[in-house]
Structure formats: structure tokens, C-alpha cells
């Protein structure tokens, strides 16, 4: 697979060909600016981060195509894709399997269209059964869709008591009860202390590569950065 996906120029205004985004595949050297784009793009989520490429490839052995649309040397859109080909799940190209979200995240319509066309072209070349986007909002209303999951979002304010009052009364009472009982949250350096002890009590069917592989890989790719951020916020007395 070439590192660049050819996009049909006829789909764009020929008078503005200089601004047509070029779709490329993410390489190691692109990861930092990919993640920088994720932080500033309203459509992007934690599941758009570049680290998921290694996790999906190393934990599950699936092929990935992490595409980005570049214009004048700047990223204007991203699309992480992975190919699933199994008897149980079928043959699909998804953004992004094993993740809550995915799909195209872009700051311009031209980048969004370029990535969408590139994904459909790749799906045709791979001869997959379907192409799946896990967007927070439908990208193609005419496509088949599933509403199996529901997203809840709430802004966290600086005052702890204001956050507490935003919780329904009965649940808030249970939280206060836990606090009075000495319940605490801690930032660990690893996941051994709780997670794998919990898995000792798991049903045998839970003994899958997901639990054995994905969490150590996720820790190496994400959690160290989260810990650094949390320590910094504490030092600043937030």
C-alpha cells in the first residue's frame, strides 16, 4: 500500500486545486503532530490518538491505516482505520474497532471529503463487507446505523461541591457515604495492584487476549502521559 492515497480531482473545484488536501498514511515521524491535531480538533476524541495504531496491531494483529489529510504542510483531518477479517466478526474496515469512537475528524470540509473518499476507495480495494465510522454524529445519514450505545457528557467545573450538586440526589448520597467511609482514589504507576487481582475472580470466558495485552499496551501509550498531567495539576494546587 502506498503512503499516499490518490483522490479523484474531479470531485473538487478545479479553480482551487492548490488547496486540495493530500491524503497520506501516518508514519512514526507524524505521530506528534497527529496528536497535536487531536487536541485542537473539536471532532477528535481520545480514541483518535496515534497510540491506538500500535495497540490494535500488537494486541490483536489487525492491519491499520491511519490516514491524515494535509494542506500546505498542515494537518486538516485524520481518520484511523483498521481491518477486521474473521469468521466471527466478518470482514470490515472500521474506525475504530475495540474503541468507542473513531471516524473522520477534520477542521475543513475538503479534508473531511478527501478522507471519506480515501476510506471508501480502500474499502473497495480490500473487498470488505462494510466500512464503519464510529462518529459522535452521523457522517452519512443515508448509511445503515446502530444505536447500541449512549454517550453522556458533563463539563467538570473547578468547585468540587458544584460538581457534586450536579449528580442526582440518591447517587450523590452514595458518593458522600463512600467519602465518609474513607474511600480514596489513587494514581498508580502500574495496573497490577487492582486490575489483575480482579481478573483472578473472572469467569474463564474472560481470559482473552484483550485483558492480557491491551491494558499494558495502553498504559505504555497513554497512561504515563495522564499521570504526568495529574501530578502537574496537583503541584499547581488545582
Amino acid at each position: 500500500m502506498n503512503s499516499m492515497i490518490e483522490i479523484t480531482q474531479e470531485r473538487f473545484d478545479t479553480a482551487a486545486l492548490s488547496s486540495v488536501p493530500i491524503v497520506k498514511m501516518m508514519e512514526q515521524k507524524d505521530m506528534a503532530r497527529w496528536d497535536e491535531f487531536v487536541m485542537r480538533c473539536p471532532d477528535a476524541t481520545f480514541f483518535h490518538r496515534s497510540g491506538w495504531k500500535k495497540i490494535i496491531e500488537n494486541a490483536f494483529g489487525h492491519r491499520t491505516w491511519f490516514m491524515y489529510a494535509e494542506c500546505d504542510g498542515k494537518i486538516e483531518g485524520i481518520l484511523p482505520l483498521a481491518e477486521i477479517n474473521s469468521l466471527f466478526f466478518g470482514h470490515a474496515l472500521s474506525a475504530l474497532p475495540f474503541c468507542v469512537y473513531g471516524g473522520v475528524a477534520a477542521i475543513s470540509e475538503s479534508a473531511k471529503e478527501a478522507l471519506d473518499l480515501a476510506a471508501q476507495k480502500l474499502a473497495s480495494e480490500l473487498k470488505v463487507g462494510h466500512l464503519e465510522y464510529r462518529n459522535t454524529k452521523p457522517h452519512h445519514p443515508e448509511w445503515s446505523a446502530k444505536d447500541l450505545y449512549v454517550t453522556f457528557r458533563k463539563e467538570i467545573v473547578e468547585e468540587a461541591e458544584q460538581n457534586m450538586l450536579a449528580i442526582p440526589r440518591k447517587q450523590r448520597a452514595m458518593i458522600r457515604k463512600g467519602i465518609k467511609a474513607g474511600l480514596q482514589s489513587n494514581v498508580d504507576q502500574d495496573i497490577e495492584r487492582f486490575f489483575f487481582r480482579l481478573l483472578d475472580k473472572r469467569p474463564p470466558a474472560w481470559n482473552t487476549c484483550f485483558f492480557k495485552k491491551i491494558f499494558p499496551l495502553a498504559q505504555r501509550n497513554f497512561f504515563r502521559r495522564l499521570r504526568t498531567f495529574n501530578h502537574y495539576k496537583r503541584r499547581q494546587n488545582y
Side-chain angles (χ1 to χ4, degrees), residues 49-69:
R49 292 184 66 104
S50 63
W52 287 103
K53 177 177 174 63
K54 291 183 178 180
I55 291 175
I56 291 175
E57 290 176 346
N58 296 340
F60 303 104
H62 299 309
R63 291 197 296 174
T64 63
W65 290 264
F66 274 48
M67 304 176 177
Y68 66 92

Side-chain angles (χ1 to χ4, degrees), residues 4 6 22 34 55 60 96 107-108 120 138 143 155 160 168 172 202 217 229:
M4 185 181 298
E6 295 181 359
I22 300 174
W34 175 293
I55 291 175
F60 303 104
L96 198 59
I107 58 174
S108 70
Q120 294 185 48
W143 286 14
E155 182 179 355
R172 185 167 67 245
R202 70 190 183 282
L217 287 168
F229 176 79

Side-chain angles (χ1 to χ4, degrees), residues 145-209:
K146 295 181 180 180
D147 55 357
L148 299 177
Y149 306 101
V150 178
T151 297
F152 298 92
R153 291 184 174 180
K154 176 69 175 67
E155 182 179 355
I156 299 178
V157 298
E158 292 186 6
E159 294 295 329
E161 186 60 24
Q162 292 184 32
N163 293 317
M164 188 71 75
L165 293 175
I167 301 173
R169 182 175 59 84
K170 291 184 178 180
Q171 288 79 3
R172 185 167 67 245
M174 296 301 296
I175 293 174
R176 294 192 188 279
K177 184 176 180 181
I179 293 174
K180 289 181 180 179
L183 184 66
Q184 297 180 346
S185 61
N186 297 295
V187 178
D188 274 338
Q189 297 300 315
D190 57 57
I191 55 179
E192 296 286 344
R193 185 167 70 98
F194 170 75
F195 186 77
F196 285 105
R197 185 169 61 188
L198 173 65
L199 288 185
D200 288 339
K201 308 297 183 182
R202 70 190 183 282
W206 288 17
N207 188 17
T208 67
C209 64

